[in-house]
Amino acid sequence: MTRRVTRSRKSGRDAAARLDRRTRAARAEGREARNELLTAALRVFARRGYREAGVDEIAAEAGYSKGALYWHFSGKEELLLTLLEERIDTPMRERFALLASAPPERDMSVEATRAFAQQLEGEREALLLEREYWSLAIRDPELRARYAERQTELRRDLAAAMEARARHLGTPDLTMPAEDVARIVMSIIGGLAVDELIEPGSVRPELLGEALAVVYAGLVARAQGRARIAEGSA
């Protein structure tokens, strides 16, 4: 009786282990299919534009059925928004986190240059899609509301990172709202990306770091000037 119970328990553990392995394999296969569909969607969007791209073409590009695509995504719009979140926004938030946590001696203009160069080299299609999303949002009220919400969140995250960086460096308080500075910085990044997309090779990656250094130096000089005026009138 004891041996039968032992065998039964062992058999149950083996079955559970087999099931767990199958589950992990299925999950891995699902993640792989999802990533391949996203990459295919990015290629098709870049080649044909968002409006002209179709789910049939995206599924065929990835080597899956249309049903497999709809298993992972509700449609073309979810593909677009997922690509923006995972290929553009998540790396950007990681850079903001680095800005907020980096030690004072670390030159963040160099980090900005490196990140921008990587984006121009490896994420050109994603940048193109982001710019297309911007142009679509201008004319589509629903997309515009989503785009505005996305931009607001990114500006808020960048503003918090810049304020943390200023505290680490011991610099004076900014003379304008941090979210306004974040808007300027994001506009510079977006403008340089557009120039590079239109005229490949025209934008030196170092230009972003240099521009951000100039903006930061100007803000610090302005704050210091105001502080001296305040001290002189006290």
Side-chain angles (χ1 to χ4, degrees):
M1 178 71 172
T2 303
R3 280 197 295 273
R4 283 200 297 272
V5 170
T6 302
R7 285 197 203 98
S8 176
R9 288 175 178 170
K10 184 175 185 301
S11 175
R13 285 197 299 269
D14 290 346
R18 286 196 298 274
L19 178 61
D20 185 51
R21 280 196 294 273
R22 285 198 299 270
T23 302
R24 285 200 298 268
R27 287 174 180 168
E29 185 176 342
R31 285 193 298 270
E32 182 179 353
R34 180 181 181 277
N35 289 334
E36 289 174 350
L37 285 163
L38 281 173
T39 299
L42 184 57
R43 287 198 301 266
V44 175
F45 288 153
R47 185 170 66 240
R48 294 180 56 81
Y50 176 76
R51 291 296 190 200
E52 296 300 319
V55 292
D56 290 308
E57 184 177 0
I58 292 169
E61 180 91 10
Y64 290 92
S65 67
K66 189 165 67 172
L69 186 149
Y70 280 120
W71 175 263
H72 292 280
F73 303 98
S74 61
K76 197 166 69 168
E77 184 176 339
E78 188 180 358
L79 281 165
L80 167 68
L81 296 175
T82 303
L83 280 168
L84 290 171
E85 173 61 31
E86 296 186 6
R87 305 292 173 92
I88 294 288
D89 296 354
T90 296
M92 193 179 300
R93 288 192 176 94
E94 290 171 355
R95 291 160 193 155
F96 295 167
L98 177 61
L99 176 65
S101 62
E105 64 273 10
R106 190 166 182 174
D107 188 343
M108 296 310 295
S109 66
V110 173
E111 295 292 341
T113 293
R114 183 180 298 116
F116 192 54
Q118 289 174 348
Q119 208 169 28
L120 294 179
E121 289 177 11
E123 300 167 18
R124 183 176 294 271
E125 290 178 334
L127 287 173
L128 180 60
L129 181 61
E130 200 280 336
R131 289 295 89 188
E132 184 177 10
Y133 180 39
W134 171 84
S135 67
L136 294 170
I138 291 175
R139 294 178 176 84
D140 185 320
E142 185 177 345
L143 279 180
R144 185 162 65 245
R146 289 191 177 191
Y147 187 87
E149 182 180 1
R150 167 180 176 257
Q151 291 298 100
T152 298
E153 291 176 358
L154 289 172
R155 281 196 301 271
R156 189 181 301 125
D157 291 345
L158 177 56
M162 290 190 301
E163 288 176 327
R165 181 66 176 171
R167 287 194 297 271
H168 290 166
L169 295 176
T171 54
D173 292 337
L174 298 176
T175 55
M176 60 191 302
E179 288 198 27
D180 285 352
V181 181
R183 186 185 294 272
I184 292 169
V185 169
M186 289 176 62
S187 295
I188 291 172
I189 295 171
L192 291 176
V194 168
D195 283 353
E196 178 61 22
L197 287 171
I198 291 175
E199 190 181 355
S202 65
V203 178
R204 293 182 294 109
E206 297 82 8
L207 188 58
L208 175 61
E210 292 168 4
L212 297 182
V214 167
V215 170
Y216 178 73
L219 288 169
V220 171
R222 188 180 182 191
Q224 291 172 339
R226 290 191 178 183
R228 283 195 294 270
I229 291 171
E231 289 174 1
S233 61

